[in-house]
Structures are given as C-alpha cells and as structure tokens.
Amino acid sequence: MHTDQFLVRIWGARGSYPTPGRKTIRYGGNTTCVELQIGGHTLVIDAGTGIINLGQDMVRRSKDANNKPIVATILLTHMHHDHTQGFPYFLPAYLGSSVLHILGPRTFDEEIEEALNHAVLPPSFPVSLHEMPSLKVVRTLQETEMILITEDHDYPQIYNVYQDNVQPSSDMICIRVLKSYAHPRNGVYFYRIEWHGKSMVFASDTEGYIDTDQRLVNFARNTDLIIHDAQYTRDEYASSKQGWGHSTPEMACEVAKQCKAKQLVLFHHDPRHSDDQIAAIEQEAQAMFADTVAAYEGLEMVL
Ligand SMILES: [Zn+2]
Ligand SMILES: [Zn+2]
C-alpha cells in the first residue's frame, strides 16, 4: 500500500526516564519514539518506551492488512537508556516475518550492534538480540553517509555523500545525518528526512550555544518541521543544568527562527515537569516562535 502522505506521529516525548502518573497524562510519560509514515514506508526514530505502544499498533495494522509482514527502518540517535529501553518490548522484533533495519552511531569504540546488544542483553533482560526471531539488519551509520529508500525498494540503501555519485530524486526518501557534540559523553545524531519536497529534522538531546548552533541551523535550513530538545526552563538551565546536554525553549525557538522552519515541536520534556508546567513552557515558546507545539503522545502532523 503506497500512500502519498508524509506523516509524523509522536509515541514518546519524555526525557531521561518514563513518568507515568496523573500529572503527565496530557503530554505523556513515555520516553523518545517518533514514527514516520512516508509513502507507505515506516521509519522510527529511537526506541524509548514509546516504541512499545508503537510496536503493538504496528502488529495490529499488520493483522488488519492480511498479516502483511512488518518492514521498518529504525534510526537511533544515540544509545542512552531513554532512547533504547523500549526495544526489548518491541513486539515486531519477535515476529519471524518482520524485517528491521536498525541504523545509528558508533558509541566510542562500539559498533551499533554491540551497543544495542548491551541494551537487550541478559542478565538485564532474558532475551538477546539474536534470539529475537525477526530479521534484523543492524549497521553503524557514518556521518558521511546518506540513506535512500526508493519507491519499489523497502530496504534502505546507504551511500557515501562524498564518494558515491548519487543524486537523490524527490520521490526517494532521503535521510541525512549530522553529529552534534553537545551531548555527553559521545554526542548525538540529528536526522533530516526529505521526501517529495517536504522535510523534517529531529534534533533532540542537544544543548544550544551562544548565537545558536549554526551547524544545526544549516542542516535544518527551510525545513517544514523541526523537533528540538527543550528540556529545561531558562532558570533551571542557568542555575544548575548547563553542560547536561539539553536545551531551553529559547534555544529551540532560536534554531527554528534562524533555519526558517515552518513548525517547531518542543521535545524531551523534563521528567519533573507536570502537564501544567509544560503547557506554560509551550505558551512562552509560542510568543517567541508562533508555530510551536509541545510534543505529546498521539500528536500527528501531516507535512
Ligand atoms: Zn534523552
Ligand atoms: Zn541522551
């Protein structure tokens, strides 16, 4: 089934650790997971606890489509717990018919497969990555690489942007990578995903700079949507959170303004922030950048 939509859906927007409870109902308590449905292809950014509900929904959708096998590309930004802890409970990984392409950065000297195995490995969890019946293609992604997914090929093709002479056409899904060094201790990947002239940029777990992260501004230039870290209020940041690798809403708005994004989504909510506090942060941010929304579970955006 090929649709002509570029759809972004939030399954988890909480930073650091999951926060179930009465004070987090509106924005949700699950950690990072964003689903993209693009022209019939499924892309997933990060595997925080939000991926658990997404996995159940993917299995339901597969059943509704006469048990159509699940094929998905999972892009990991970094290996911190709040971005991987849902993976052991991701139902499609346990179906032998599923094909999961898992791509992400090297962590120090560890290739992505090893690092992911640590997230799933016994004794922390009874099942190892290899024991999950799905077919998993796990590959470390370099910053010099670009991923293309074509109309009739569900498998991501990876090219070196300097060596391989490829010109992505607008009907291919094109994924670009930028490494940010503003997150302890091994940095984080930003992703830019383009298709049919539309684009979205995912930039969580990063801290702003004086006069704004200009590498990110260039990377995100003219994007339709940027999802940006906004974990701390300005006061929290100034009093105790500098150097922790997260941003304020001011930093997020400044990136959105300078890159001329159409829409900004505030992301990676602080686990100590209640719904009311996030709503207040959202309102303040809207005064700085009008087309801003604070991410909540179930938020859907069609680009
Ligand atoms: Zn995080
Ligand atoms: Zn992190």
Side-chain angles (χ1 to χ4, degrees):
M1 189 186 68
H2 290 240
T3 64
D4 53 2
Q5 259 189 356
F6 190 140
L7 183 138
V8 181
R9 195 182 275 137
I10 307 284
W11 291 88
R14 188 66 54 170
S16 310
Y17 53 85
T19 56
R22 277 173 301 168
K23 289 183 173 169
T24 54
I25 287 169
R26 182 166 161 202
Y27 295 95
N30 282 301
T31 54
T32 300
C33 181
V34 177
E35 175 195 6
L36 308 176
Q37 286 295 335
I38 309 177
H41 296 274
T42 301
L43 275 66
V44 180
I45 300 177
D46 279 344
T49 60
I51 204 170
I52 302 169
N53 287 335
L54 167 60
Q56 287 165 0
D57 204 61
M58 284 166 79
V59 170
R60 184 189 55 74
R61 287 181 231 161
S62 154
K63 281 190 181 139
D64 288 349
N66 285 322
N67 294 317
K68 187 173 186 264
I70 292 169
V71 181
T73 300
I74 301 176
L75 305 167
L76 298 173
T77 59
H78 63 315
M79 298 308 289
H80 284 167
H81 203 212
D82 54 325
H83 299 256
T84 54
Q85 67 199 148
F87 191 77
Y89 306 98
F90 182 52
L91 216 47
Y94 293 88
L95 302 179
S97 57
S98 303
V99 184
L100 305 174
H101 296 269
I102 304 171
L103 300 158
R106 179 179 288 117
T107 310
F108 301 107
D109 287 336
E110 229 175 35
E111 300 299 329
I112 184 94
E113 184 162 7
E114 236 179 304
L116 187 64
N117 235 326
H118 287 166
V120 195
L121 211 62
S124 328
F125 189 73
V127 183
S128 77
L129 194 59
H130 298 289
E131 285 168 328
M132 296 173 157
S134 56
L135 177 65
K136 290 167 295 301
V137 186
V138 189
R139 185 189 186 283
T140 299
L141 193 63
Q142 313 288 340
E143 205 189 353
T144 49
E145 289 174 326
M146 169 176 74
I147 307 165
L148 295 179
I149 303 173
T150 57
E151 188 81 16
D152 36 44
H153 218 302
D154 242 341
Y155 290 16
Q157 316 280 309
I158 299 169
Y159 298 95
N160 183 302
V161 291
Y162 300 104
Q163 302 295 326
D164 300 324
N165 197 13
V166 278
Q167 279 303 327
S169 67
S170 78
D171 58 351
M172 299 173 183
I173 300 169
C174 176
I175 304 163
R176 294 173 199 275
V177 185
L178 181 73
K179 180 167 180 167
S180 158
Y181 296 91
H183 194 64
R185 298 174 42 201
N186 196 53
V188 64
Y189 271 3
F190 299 149
Y191 289 105
R192 179 179 179 123
I193 297 135
E194 297 175 354
W195 184 69
H196 280 204
K198 300 282 180 188
S199 68
M200 75 87 80
V201 171
F202 187 82
S204 185
D205 295 65
T206 191
E207 185 167 339
Y209 297 112
I210 290 176
D211 291 336
T212 308
D213 184 343
Q214 293 301 321
R215 285 172 71 240
L216 174 56
V217 168
N218 279 325
F219 184 68
R221 182 94 46 211
N222 297 321
T223 190
D224 293 281
L225 170 68
I226 181 164
I227 299 178
H228 195 290
D229 194 303
Q231 177 156 350
Y232 304 131
T233 65
R234 201 191 172 104
D235 285 349
E236 287 164 347
Y237 181 81
S239 63
S240 60
K241 300 298 185 187
Q242 280 185 3
W244 287 45
H246 296 287
S247 293
T248 65
E250 286 82 0
M251 291 168 183
C253 288
E254 201 51 43
V255 169
K257 248 186 238 175
Q258 290 194 24
C259 77
K260 298 190 163 53
K262 288 207 181 81
Q263 220 187 332
L264 167 66
V265 171
L266 305 175
F267 198 80
H268 211 272
H269 305 312
D270 192 277
R272 293 158 311 157
H273 288 169
S274 66
D275 285 337
D276 290 347
Q277 283 169 298
I278 296 171
I281 288 169
E282 182 179 38
Q283 220 179 359
E284 279 170 37
Q286 284 163 347
M288 293 179 273
F289 189 82
D291 287 315
T292 300
V293 59
Y296 58 87
E297 283 171 37
L299 171 62
E300 284 188 4
M301 289 153 287
V302 175
L303 305 186

